[in-house]
Amino acid sequence: MSTKEEILKYLQGHNDYVSGGELSEQLLVSRTAVWKHVNALRSAGYEIESVTNRGYRLVSSPDQITPESILSGLETKTLGKTVFSFDSIDSTNAQAKRQALSGAPNGSLFIAERQTGGKGRLGRVWESPSGTGLWFSVLLRPDSLPVQVTGITLLAGLAVCRAIRKRTDTPAMIKWPNDIVIGGKKVCGILTEMAAEIDRIEYVVVGIGINVNMENFPEELSGKATSLRRECGRPVARIGLLQEILKEFEEILCDDIDRPEAILAEYKTLCVSLNRTVGFTRNQESVTATAVDISPAGELIVRCGDGSLLSVNAGEVAVQGIYGQT
């Protein structure tokens, strides 16, 4: 952690003024260095008051995506500890894959204010305008992957759902396998991509896109999409939500090793797809069935009209009463 990040963290931990002398003593830097770093934080959008004989006080933080804002207060051991931040990029998933080949470490976070080529499943375009959402990807190396790596999207969805519920008090639910919905409308999509050889996985990239503070949507999306701001009636701090997601994701990845049954059970309680009629494609034919369970590998188990059970792990799945398709 840089000195500037340490100063920010120290100010965030105190509601009252902190003297320059205290900061200098605690962080082992000169008072002149403290002053320079405080001014750098101000230039980055942090409102910091300074009063003679009292010191500095953090008044407000910007809702800007910067490495400093992400790292300050991040409660993880690995996820997000290395940050690649961009004002605009084609796709955070694409960048994560490029950097994975260049040796980016496990847990690296790739995040952008705007994506010009964001994609969802099956190559769909994902709208990701600047300054209103969270568009990011996490790079996972083999040491961090669950035993059932095919279920990584489900674990990410559970992390996002937990975080949204904690930060917004909205009844967010998971639509199998890769969407988060509120009131039947999509608020988040997850795209997982993997590079593997015959005998081992090289890396997995988990891309997450969340409509955070959008107030309006194109007409073609207005009946299918929503945002956290629209659902909870107030702006949502993007950095705080991001930090919560990374914390939850790391905890779930660890818990899935020790108690996978409990994690899967929690996922099922939050999965809006279960006990509903679903439609999907199998052998180029349209099939209608009832979703009844989810396997440890992340497959959707459905019961057909003749009572037989099928495992669905690919193709389109439309859930009756839920807008959009996965």
Side-chain angles (χ1 to χ4, degrees), residues 130-195:
S130 179
T132 58
L134 281 174
W135 328 118
F136 66 98
S137 301
V138 178
L139 173 65
L140 298 175
R141 299 288 188 181
D143 288 348
S144 289
L145 295 174
V147 175
Q148 293 280 2
V149 70
T150 52
I152 191 70
T153 301
L154 275 64
L155 301 185
L158 179 57
V160 173
C161 195
R162 275 188 188 178
I164 288 176
R165 282 173 164 253
K166 286 184 178 180
R167 290 281 173 164
T168 68
D169 292 324
T170 56
M173 299 290 285
I174 305 165
K175 176 171 173 279
W176 183 90
N178 64 328
D179 292 343
I180 306 298
V181 297
I182 301 176
K185 293 185 178 183
K186 184 172 178 175
V187 73
C188 168
I190 300 171
L191 176 64
T192 301
E193 299 181 272
M194 181 188 306

Short mmCIF file of all heavy atoms in Angstrom, two decimals, residues 130-195:
data_model
loop_
_atom_site.label_atom_id
_atom_site.label_comp_id
_atom_site.label_asym_id
_atom_site.label_seq_id
_atom_site.Cartn_x
_atom_site.Cartn_y
_atom_site.Cartn_z
N SER A 130 -20.33 5.09 -19.42
CA SER A 130 -19.35 5.59 -18.46
C SER A 130 -19.99 6.14 -17.20
O SER A 130 -21.03 6.79 -17.24
CB SER A 130 -18.50 6.69 -19.12
OG SER A 130 -17.56 7.21 -18.22
N GLY A 131 -19.34 5.87 -16.06
CA GLY A 131 -19.66 6.53 -14.81
C GLY A 131 -20.90 6.06 -14.07
O GLY A 131 -21.22 6.61 -13.01
N THR A 132 -21.59 5.05 -14.59
CA THR A 132 -22.86 4.68 -13.97
C THR A 132 -22.92 3.23 -13.48
O THR A 132 -23.82 2.87 -12.73
CB THR A 132 -24.03 4.88 -14.95
OG1 THR A 132 -23.79 4.09 -16.12
CG2 THR A 132 -24.18 6.34 -15.34
N GLY A 133 -21.98 2.42 -13.92
CA GLY A 133 -22.04 1.02 -13.56
C GLY A 133 -20.72 0.48 -13.07
O GLY A 133 -19.74 1.22 -12.91
N LEU A 134 -20.69 -0.81 -12.82
CA LEU A 134 -19.46 -1.52 -12.49
C LEU A 134 -19.20 -2.54 -13.60
O LEU A 134 -20.01 -3.45 -13.80
CB LEU A 134 -19.58 -2.23 -11.15
CG LEU A 134 -19.41 -1.38 -9.88
CD1 LEU A 134 -19.72 -2.21 -8.64
CD2 LEU A 134 -18.00 -0.81 -9.79
N TRP A 135 -18.11 -2.35 -14.31
CA TRP A 135 -17.73 -3.26 -15.38
C TRP A 135 -16.34 -3.77 -15.05
O TRP A 135 -15.36 -3.04 -15.17
CB TRP A 135 -17.73 -2.55 -16.74
CG TRP A 135 -18.74 -1.45 -16.87
CD1 TRP A 135 -18.50 -0.12 -17.09
CD2 TRP A 135 -20.18 -1.57 -16.80
NE1 TRP A 135 -19.68 0.59 -17.15
CE2 TRP A 135 -20.73 -0.28 -16.97
CE3 TRP A 135 -21.04 -2.64 -16.59
CZ2 TRP A 135 -22.09 -0.04 -16.95
CZ3 TRP A 135 -22.41 -2.40 -16.56
CH2 TRP A 135 -22.92 -1.11 -16.75
N PHE A 136 -16.24 -5.01 -14.60
CA PHE A 136 -14.93 -5.49 -14.15
C PHE A 136 -14.79 -6.99 -14.35
O PHE A 136 -15.78 -7.71 -14.53
CB PHE A 136 -14.71 -5.14 -12.68
CG PHE A 136 -15.63 -5.82 -11.70
CD1 PHE A 136 -15.24 -6.96 -11.02
CD2 PHE A 136 -16.90 -5.30 -11.43
CE1 PHE A 136 -16.07 -7.58 -10.10
CE2 PHE A 136 -17.75 -5.92 -10.52
CZ PHE A 136 -17.33 -7.05 -9.85
N SER A 137 -13.53 -7.44 -14.32
CA SER A 137 -13.21 -8.86 -14.45
C SER A 137 -12.17 -9.23 -13.41
O SER A 137 -11.31 -8.42 -13.05
CB SER A 137 -12.65 -9.16 -15.85
OG SER A 137 -13.58 -8.81 -16.86
N VAL A 138 -12.27 -10.46 -12.93
CA VAL A 138 -11.32 -10.99 -11.96
C VAL A 138 -10.60 -12.18 -12.58
O VAL A 138 -11.23 -13.08 -13.14
CB VAL A 138 -12.03 -11.42 -10.66
CG1 VAL A 138 -11.02 -12.02 -9.68
CG2 VAL A 138 -12.75 -10.24 -10.02
N LEU A 139 -9.27 -12.16 -12.50
CA LEU A 139 -8.45 -13.25 -13.02
C LEU A 139 -8.16 -14.25 -11.90
O LEU A 139 -7.66 -13.88 -10.84
CB LEU A 139 -7.14 -12.69 -13.57
CG LEU A 139 -6.08 -13.72 -14.00
CD1 LEU A 139 -6.57 -14.55 -15.18
CD2 LEU A 139 -4.76 -13.01 -14.34
N LEU A 140 -8.50 -15.50 -12.14
CA LEU A 140 -8.27 -16.55 -11.14
C LEU A 140 -7.32 -17.60 -11.72
O LEU A 140 -7.57 -18.16 -12.78
CB LEU A 140 -9.59 -17.21 -10.75
CG LEU A 140 -10.63 -16.31 -10.08
CD1 LEU A 140 -11.93 -17.07 -9.86
CD2 LEU A 140 -10.11 -15.74 -8.76
N ARG A 141 -6.25 -17.83 -10.98
CA ARG A 141 -5.31 -18.89 -11.32
C ARG A 141 -5.75 -20.19 -10.62
O ARG A 141 -6.60 -20.17 -9.73
CB ARG A 141 -3.90 -18.50 -10.88
CG ARG A 141 -3.36 -17.22 -11.53
CD ARG A 141 -3.01 -17.42 -12.98
NE ARG A 141 -2.33 -16.26 -13.55
CZ ARG A 141 -1.93 -16.18 -14.81
NH1 ARG A 141 -2.15 -17.20 -15.64
NH2 ARG A 141 -1.32 -15.10 -15.27
N PRO A 142 -5.18 -21.34 -11.00
CA PRO A 142 -5.64 -22.63 -10.46
C PRO A 142 -5.73 -22.72 -8.95
O PRO A 142 -6.64 -23.37 -8.42
CB PRO A 142 -4.59 -23.60 -11.02
CG PRO A 142 -4.18 -23.00 -12.32
CD PRO A 142 -4.17 -21.52 -12.06
N ASP A 143 -4.82 -22.07 -8.20
CA ASP A 143 -4.83 -22.19 -6.75
C ASP A 143 -6.11 -21.64 -6.12
O ASP A 143 -6.45 -22.01 -4.99
CB ASP A 143 -3.62 -21.45 -6.14
CG ASP A 143 -2.32 -22.20 -6.40
OD1 ASP A 143 -2.40 -23.36 -6.83
OD2 ASP A 143 -1.25 -21.60 -6.20
N SER A 144 -6.81 -20.75 -6.80
CA SER A 144 -8.02 -20.14 -6.25
C SER A 144 -9.31 -20.76 -6.77
O SER A 144 -10.39 -20.34 -6.37
CB SER A 144 -8.03 -18.63 -6.54
OG SER A 144 -7.07 -17.95 -5.78
N LEU A 145 -9.20 -21.72 -7.65
CA LEU A 145 -10.39 -22.26 -8.29
C LEU A 145 -11.02 -23.37 -7.45
O LEU A 145 -10.32 -24.13 -6.78
CB LEU A 145 -10.05 -22.80 -9.68
CG LEU A 145 -9.59 -21.74 -10.69
CD1 LEU A 145 -9.14 -22.41 -11.97
CD2 LEU A 145 -10.69 -20.73 -10.96
N PRO A 146 -12.34 -23.46 -7.50
CA PRO A 146 -13.02 -24.54 -6.76
C PRO A 146 -12.80 -25.88 -7.44
O PRO A 146 -12.38 -25.95 -8.61
CB PRO A 146 -14.50 -24.13 -6.84
CG PRO A 146 -14.60 -23.33 -8.10
CD PRO A 146 -13.29 -22.59 -8.21
N VAL A 147 -13.08 -26.97 -6.71
CA VAL A 147 -12.94 -28.31 -7.28
C VAL A 147 -13.82 -28.45 -8.51
O VAL A 147 -13.41 -28.96 -9.55
CB VAL A 147 -13.29 -29.37 -6.22
CG1 VAL A 147 -13.25 -30.77 -6.85
CG2 VAL A 147 -12.32 -29.29 -5.05
N GLN A 148 -15.07 -28.00 -8.40
CA GLN A 148 -16.00 -28.01 -9.53
C GLN A 148 -15.87 -26.68 -10.27
O GLN A 148 -16.65 -25.75 -10.07
CB GLN A 148 -17.44 -28.22 -9.05
CG GLN A 148 -17.70 -29.58 -8.44
CD GLN A 148 -17.90 -30.64 -9.52
OE1 GLN A 148 -17.81 -30.37 -10.71
NE2 GLN A 148 -18.18 -31.86 -9.09
N VAL A 149 -14.86 -26.56 -11.11
CA VAL A 149 -14.59 -25.28 -11.75
C VAL A 149 -15.74 -24.86 -12.65
O VAL A 149 -15.93 -23.66 -12.91
CB VAL A 149 -13.26 -25.34 -12.54
CG1 VAL A 149 -13.40 -26.23 -13.77
CG2 VAL A 149 -12.80 -23.95 -12.92
N THR A 150 -16.54 -25.82 -13.12
CA THR A 150 -17.68 -25.48 -13.97
C THR A 150 -18.73 -24.67 -13.20
O THR A 150 -19.59 -24.05 -13.81
CB THR A 150 -18.33 -26.75 -14.53
OG1 THR A 150 -18.62 -27.64 -13.43
CG2 THR A 150 -17.41 -27.45 -15.51
N GLY A 151 -18.65 -24.70 -11.88
CA GLY A 151 -19.62 -23.94 -11.08
C GLY A 151 -19.15 -22.56 -10.69
O GLY A 151 -19.80 -21.89 -9.87
N ILE A 152 -18.03 -22.08 -11.27
CA ILE A 152 -17.47 -20.80 -10.86
C ILE A 152 -18.44 -19.65 -11.11
O ILE A 152 -18.52 -18.70 -10.33
CB ILE A 152 -16.12 -20.56 -11.57
CG1 ILE A 152 -15.40 -19.36 -10.96
CG2 ILE A 152 -16.31 -20.36 -13.06
CD1 ILE A 152 -14.87 -19.60 -9.58
N THR A 153 -19.22 -19.71 -12.19
CA THR A 153 -20.19 -18.65 -12.46
C THR A 153 -21.24 -18.59 -11.37
O THR A 153 -21.68 -17.50 -10.97
CB THR A 153 -20.86 -18.88 -13.83
OG1 THR A 153 -19.87 -18.91 -14.85
CG2 THR A 153 -21.86 -17.77 -14.14
N LEU A 154 -21.66 -19.75 -10.87
CA LEU A 154 -22.65 -19.77 -9.79
C LEU A 154 -22.09 -19.14 -8.53
O LEU A 154 -22.80 -18.39 -7.83
CB LEU A 154 -23.10 -21.20 -9.51
CG LEU A 154 -24.22 -21.76 -10.39
CD1 LEU A 154 -23.80 -21.87 -11.84
CD2 LEU A 154 -24.68 -23.12 -9.87
N LEU A 155 -20.83 -19.42 -8.21
CA LEU A 155 -20.21 -18.85 -7.02
C LEU A 155 -20.10 -17.33 -7.15
O LEU A 155 -20.35 -16.59 -6.19
CB LEU A 155 -18.84 -19.46 -6.79
CG LEU A 155 -18.78 -20.98 -6.61
CD1 LEU A 155 -17.37 -21.43 -6.27
CD2 LEU A 155 -19.75 -21.44 -5.52
N ALA A 156 -19.75 -16.86 -8.34
CA ALA A 156 -19.67 -15.42 -8.57
C ALA A 156 -21.04 -14.78 -8.43
O ALA A 156 -21.20 -13.70 -7.85
CB ALA A 156 -19.08 -15.14 -9.95
N GLY A 157 -22.07 -15.45 -8.97
CA GLY A 157 -23.43 -14.93 -8.86
C GLY A 157 -23.89 -14.84 -7.42
O GLY A 157 -24.55 -13.86 -7.03
N LEU A 158 -23.54 -15.82 -6.62
CA LEU A 158 -23.91 -15.79 -5.20
C LEU A 158 -23.21 -14.64 -4.51
O LEU A 158 -23.82 -13.94 -3.68
CB LEU A 158 -23.53 -17.12 -4.55
CG LEU A 158 -23.82 -17.25 -3.05
CD1 LEU A 158 -25.30 -17.01 -2.75
CD2 LEU A 158 -23.39 -18.63 -2.54
N ALA A 159 -21.94 -14.40 -4.84
CA ALA A 159 -21.20 -13.28 -4.23
C ALA A 159 -21.85 -11.95 -4.58
O ALA A 159 -22.03 -11.08 -3.71
CB ALA A 159 -19.75 -13.31 -4.70
N VAL A 160 -22.21 -11.77 -5.84
CA VAL A 160 -22.83 -10.51 -6.27
C VAL A 160 -24.19 -10.34 -5.60
O VAL A 160 -24.54 -9.25 -5.12
CB VAL A 160 -22.98 -10.48 -7.80
CG1 VAL A 160 -23.78 -9.24 -8.23
CG2 VAL A 160 -21.61 -10.46 -8.47
N CYS A 161 -24.96 -11.42 -5.55
CA CYS A 161 -26.29 -11.34 -4.94
C CYS A 161 -26.19 -10.98 -3.46
O CYS A 161 -26.93 -10.12 -2.97
CB CYS A 161 -27.00 -12.68 -5.12
SG CYS A 161 -28.78 -12.61 -4.80
N ARG A 162 -25.29 -11.62 -2.74
CA ARG A 162 -25.07 -11.29 -1.33
C ARG A 162 -24.73 -9.82 -1.16
O ARG A 162 -25.28 -9.12 -0.30
CB ARG A 162 -23.90 -12.12 -0.78
CG ARG A 162 -24.20 -13.50 -0.29
CD ARG A 162 -22.93 -14.03 0.37
NE ARG A 162 -22.97 -15.43 0.76
CZ ARG A 162 -21.93 -16.05 1.30
NH1 ARG A 162 -20.79 -15.41 1.51
NH2 ARG A 162 -22.04 -17.32 1.66
N ALA A 163 -23.76 -9.34 -1.97
CA ALA A 163 -23.28 -7.97 -1.84
C ALA A 163 -24.38 -6.95 -2.14
O ALA A 163 -24.52 -5.95 -1.43
CB ALA A 163 -22.08 -7.75 -2.76
N ILE A 164 -25.15 -7.20 -3.19
CA ILE A 164 -26.23 -6.27 -3.54
C ILE A 164 -27.26 -6.21 -2.43
O ILE A 164 -27.73 -5.13 -2.04
CB ILE A 164 -26.88 -6.69 -4.87
CG1 ILE A 164 -25.93 -6.40 -6.04
CG2 ILE A 164 -28.22 -5.96 -5.08
CD1 ILE A 164 -26.44 -6.86 -7.39
N ARG A 165 -27.61 -7.35 -1.88
CA ARG A 165 -28.58 -7.37 -0.78
C ARG A 165 -28.06 -6.61 0.43
O ARG A 165 -28.81 -5.89 1.09
CB ARG A 165 -28.90 -8.83 -0.41
CG ARG A 165 -29.86 -9.51 -1.37
CD ARG A 165 -30.02 -11.00 -1.09
NE ARG A 165 -31.21 -11.51 -1.77
CZ ARG A 165 -32.35 -11.84 -1.18
NH1 ARG A 165 -32.46 -11.74 0.13
NH2 ARG A 165 -33.38 -12.29 -1.87
N LYS A 166 -26.79 -6.76 0.74
CA LYS A 166 -26.21 -6.08 1.90
C LYS A 166 -26.14 -4.57 1.68
O LYS A 166 -26.40 -3.79 2.60
CB LYS A 166 -24.81 -6.63 2.20
CG LYS A 166 -24.79 -8.00 2.83
CD LYS A 166 -23.36 -8.42 3.17
CE LYS A 166 -23.34 -9.79 3.85
NZ LYS A 166 -21.95 -10.21 4.18
N ARG A 167 -25.77 -4.16 0.49
CA ARG A 167 -25.52 -2.74 0.23
C ARG A 167 -26.76 -1.95 -0.15
O ARG A 167 -26.76 -0.73 -0.05
CB ARG A 167 -24.46 -2.60 -0.88
CG ARG A 167 -23.07 -3.03 -0.45
CD ARG A 167 -22.40 -1.95 0.36
NE ARG A 167 -21.13 -2.38 0.93
CZ ARG A 167 -20.21 -1.56 1.42
NH1 ARG A 167 -20.44 -0.26 1.39
NH2 ARG A 167 -19.10 -2.03 1.94
N THR A 168 -27.80 -2.63 -0.61
CA THR A 168 -28.97 -1.89 -1.09
C THR A 168 -30.28 -2.30 -0.44
O THR A 168 -31.29 -1.62 -0.62
CB THR A 168 -29.14 -2.07 -2.61
OG1 THR A 168 -29.49 -3.44 -2.89
CG2 THR A 168 -27.86 -1.72 -3.36
N ASP A 169 -30.30 -3.41 0.29
CA ASP A 169 -31.53 -3.91 0.90
C ASP A 169 -32.60 -4.24 -0.14
O ASP A 169 -33.80 -4.21 0.16
CB ASP A 169 -32.10 -2.92 1.93
CG ASP A 169 -31.21 -2.80 3.15
OD1 ASP A 169 -30.61 -3.81 3.55
OD2 ASP A 169 -31.09 -1.68 3.69
N THR A 170 -32.19 -4.52 -1.36
CA THR A 170 -33.14 -4.93 -2.40
C THR A 170 -33.21 -6.45 -2.44
O THR A 170 -32.25 -7.13 -2.11
CB THR A 170 -32.73 -4.40 -3.78
OG1 THR A 170 -31.40 -4.85 -4.07
CG2 THR A 170 -32.76 -2.87 -3.81
N PRO A 171 -34.36 -7.00 -2.86
CA PRO A 171 -34.52 -8.46 -2.89
C PRO A 171 -33.90 -9.09 -4.14
O PRO A 171 -34.58 -9.75 -4.94
CB PRO A 171 -36.04 -8.63 -2.88
CG PRO A 171 -36.55 -7.43 -3.61
CD PRO A 171 -35.61 -6.30 -3.21
N ALA A 172 -32.60 -8.89 -4.33
CA ALA A 172 -31.91 -9.43 -5.50
C ALA A 172 -31.97 -10.96 -5.48
O ALA A 172 -31.88 -11.59 -4.42
CB ALA A 172 -30.47 -8.96 -5.52
N MET A 173 -32.14 -11.55 -6.65
CA MET A 173 -32.19 -13.00 -6.81
C MET A 173 -31.28 -13.40 -7.97
O MET A 173 -30.89 -12.56 -8.79
CB MET A 173 -33.63 -13.46 -7.08
CG MET A 173 -34.62 -13.15 -5.97
SD MET A 173 -34.35 -14.14 -4.48
CE MET A 173 -35.00 -15.73 -5.03
N ILE A 174 -30.97 -14.69 -8.04
CA ILE A 174 -30.10 -15.21 -9.09
C ILE A 174 -30.95 -15.93 -10.12
O ILE A 174 -31.78 -16.77 -9.78
CB ILE A 174 -29.07 -16.20 -8.53
CG1 ILE A 174 -28.27 -15.55 -7.39
CG2 ILE A 174 -28.14 -16.68 -9.63
CD1 ILE A 174 -27.49 -16.55 -6.55
N LYS A 175 -30.77 -15.59 -11.39
CA LYS A 175 -31.42 -16.31 -12.48
C LYS A 175 -30.35 -17.20 -13.12
O LYS A 175 -29.39 -16.69 -13.69
CB LYS A 175 -32.02 -15.35 -13.49
CG LYS A 175 -32.63 -16.00 -14.72
CD LYS A 175 -33.37 -14.96 -15.54
CE LYS A 175 -33.85 -15.53 -16.87
NZ LYS A 175 -32.77 -15.55 -17.88
N TRP A 176 -30.51 -18.50 -12.96
CA TRP A 176 -29.48 -19.43 -13.45
C TRP A 176 -29.20 -19.22 -14.92
O TRP A 176 -30.15 -19.00 -15.71
CB TRP A 176 -29.98 -20.87 -13.23
CG TRP A 176 -29.00 -21.92 -13.63
CD1 TRP A 176 -28.05 -22.49 -12.85
CD2 TRP A 176 -28.86 -22.50 -14.93
NE1 TRP A 176 -27.33 -23.40 -13.59
CE2 TRP A 176 -27.81 -23.42 -14.87
CE3 TRP A 176 -29.52 -22.33 -16.16
CZ2 TRP A 176 -27.39 -24.18 -15.96
CZ3 TRP A 176 -29.11 -23.07 -17.25
CH2 TRP A 176 -28.07 -23.98 -17.15
N PRO A 177 -27.93 -19.26 -15.32
CA PRO A 177 -26.76 -19.43 -14.45
C PRO A 177 -26.00 -18.16 -14.16
O PRO A 177 -25.15 -18.14 -13.30
CB PRO A 177 -25.88 -20.35 -15.31
CG PRO A 177 -26.13 -19.85 -16.71
CD PRO A 177 -27.59 -19.45 -16.74
N ASN A 178 -26.32 -17.06 -14.89
CA ASN A 178 -25.36 -15.95 -14.87
C ASN A 178 -25.98 -14.56 -14.75
O ASN A 178 -25.32 -13.57 -15.06
CB ASN A 178 -24.53 -15.98 -16.16
CG ASN A 178 -25.37 -15.74 -17.40
OD1 ASN A 178 -26.54 -16.11 -17.44
ND2 ASN A 178 -24.80 -15.10 -18.40
N ASP A 179 -27.20 -14.45 -14.29
CA ASP A 179 -27.83 -13.14 -14.15
C ASP A 179 -28.27 -12.89 -12.71
O ASP A 179 -28.62 -13.83 -11.98
CB ASP A 179 -29.07 -13.01 -15.04
CG ASP A 179 -28.74 -13.01 -16.52
OD1 ASP A 179 -27.56 -12.78 -16.87
OD2 ASP A 179 -29.65 -13.25 -17.33
N ILE A 180 -28.28 -11.62 -12.32
CA ILE A 180 -28.91 -11.19 -11.08
C ILE A 180 -30.11 -10.34 -11.47
O ILE A 180 -29.99 -9.43 -12.31
CB ILE A 180 -27.95 -10.37 -10.20
CG1 ILE A 180 -26.65 -11.15 -9.95
CG2 ILE A 180 -28.62 -10.02 -8.87
CD1 ILE A 180 -26.82 -12.46 -9.22
N VAL A 181 -31.26 -10.64 -10.89
CA VAL A 181 -32.48 -9.92 -11.22
C VAL A 181 -33.13 -9.36 -9.96
O VAL A 181 -32.95 -9.89 -8.86
CB VAL A 181 -33.49 -10.84 -11.96
CG1 VAL A 181 -32.91 -11.31 -13.29
CG2 VAL A 181 -33.86 -12.04 -11.09
N ILE A 182 -33.85 -8.28 -10.16
CA ILE A 182 -34.66 -7.68 -9.09
C ILE A 182 -36.04 -7.43 -9.67
O ILE A 182 -36.17 -6.74 -10.68
CB ILE A 182 -34.05 -6.37 -8.57
CG1 ILE A 182 -32.63 -6.59 -8.03
CG2 ILE A 182 -34.94 -5.77 -7.46
CD1 ILE A 182 -31.93 -5.32 -7.59
N GLY A 183 -37.05 -8.01 -9.05
CA GLY A 183 -38.39 -7.85 -9.57
C GLY A 183 -38.54 -8.37 -10.98
O GLY A 183 -39.34 -7.86 -11.77
N GLY A 184 -37.77 -9.38 -11.34
CA GLY A 184 -37.86 -9.97 -12.67
C GLY A 184 -37.05 -9.27 -13.73
O GLY A 184 -37.00 -9.73 -14.87
N LYS A 185 -36.39 -8.16 -13.38
CA LYS A 185 -35.59 -7.42 -14.36
C LYS A 185 -34.11 -7.58 -14.07
O LYS A 185 -33.68 -7.59 -12.92
CB LYS A 185 -35.98 -5.94 -14.37
CG LYS A 185 -37.38 -5.68 -14.88
CD LYS A 185 -37.66 -4.19 -14.99
CE LYS A 185 -39.05 -3.91 -15.54
NZ LYS A 185 -39.29 -2.46 -15.71
N LYS A 186 -33.32 -7.65 -15.13
CA LYS A 186 -31.89 -7.92 -15.02
C LYS A 186 -31.13 -6.70 -14.54
O LYS A 186 -31.28 -5.60 -15.08
CB LYS A 186 -31.34 -8.37 -16.38
CG LYS A 186 -29.89 -8.79 -16.38
CD LYS A 186 -29.54 -9.39 -17.73
CE LYS A 186 -28.09 -9.80 -17.83
NZ LYS A 186 -27.78 -10.49 -19.09
N VAL A 187 -30.27 -6.90 -13.54
CA VAL A 187 -29.44 -5.82 -13.02
C VAL A 187 -27.95 -6.15 -13.18
O VAL A 187 -27.11 -5.26 -13.11
CB VAL A 187 -29.77 -5.53 -11.54
CG1 VAL A 187 -29.24 -6.62 -10.63
CG2 VAL A 187 -29.26 -4.17 -11.11
N CYS A 188 -27.65 -7.43 -13.42
CA CYS A 188 -26.25 -7.85 -13.51
C CYS A 188 -26.12 -9.07 -14.41
O CYS A 188 -26.98 -9.96 -14.37
CB CYS A 188 -25.69 -8.16 -12.12
SG CYS A 188 -24.10 -9.02 -12.09
N GLY A 189 -25.06 -9.11 -15.18
CA GLY A 189 -24.72 -10.27 -15.97
C GLY A 189 -23.30 -10.71 -15.69
O GLY A 189 -22.44 -9.88 -15.37
N ILE A 190 -23.05 -12.00 -15.78
CA ILE A 190 -21.73 -12.56 -15.49
C ILE A 190 -21.29 -13.42 -16.67
O ILE A 190 -22.06 -14.26 -17.15
CB ILE A 190 -21.76 -13.40 -14.20
CG1 ILE A 190 -22.19 -12.54 -13.01
CG2 ILE A 190 -20.39 -14.04 -13.93
CD1 ILE A 190 -22.46 -13.32 -11.74
N LEU A 191 -20.07 -13.21 -17.12
CA LEU A 191 -19.52 -13.98 -18.24
C LEU A 191 -18.20 -14.59 -17.81
O LEU A 191 -17.25 -13.87 -17.48
CB LEU A 191 -19.30 -13.09 -19.47
CG LEU A 191 -18.65 -13.76 -20.68
CD1 LEU A 191 -19.52 -14.87 -21.23
CD2 LEU A 191 -18.34 -12.73 -21.76
N THR A 192 -18.13 -15.91 -17.78
CA THR A 192 -16.91 -16.62 -17.38
C THR A 192 -16.23 -17.24 -18.59
O THR A 192 -16.88 -17.89 -19.40
CB THR A 192 -17.25 -17.73 -16.36
OG1 THR A 192 -17.88 -17.14 -15.22
CG2 THR A 192 -15.99 -18.45 -15.90
N GLU A 193 -14.93 -17.01 -18.70
CA GLU A 193 -14.14 -17.57 -19.80
C GLU A 193 -12.93 -18.29 -19.23
O GLU A 193 -12.36 -17.88 -18.21
CB GLU A 193 -13.72 -16.47 -20.76
CG GLU A 193 -14.91 -15.75 -21.41
CD GLU A 193 -14.48 -14.69 -22.39
OE1 GLU A 193 -14.26 -13.54 -21.97
OE2 GLU A 193 -14.36 -15.01 -23.59
N MET A 194 -12.51 -19.34 -19.89
CA MET A 194 -11.46 -20.20 -19.36
C MET A 194 -10.42 -20.53 -20.42
O MET A 194 -10.75 -20.66 -21.60
CB MET A 194 -12.10 -21.49 -18.85
CG MET A 194 -11.15 -22.49 -18.23
SD MET A 194 -11.96 -24.09 -17.88
CE MET A 194 -13.37 -23.54 -16.89
N ALA A 195 -9.17 -20.64 -19.98
CA ALA A 195 -8.11 -21.13 -20.85
C ALA A 195 -7.55 -22.38 -20.20
O ALA A 195 -7.17 -22.37 -19.03
CB ALA A 195 -7.01 -20.09 -21.02
#
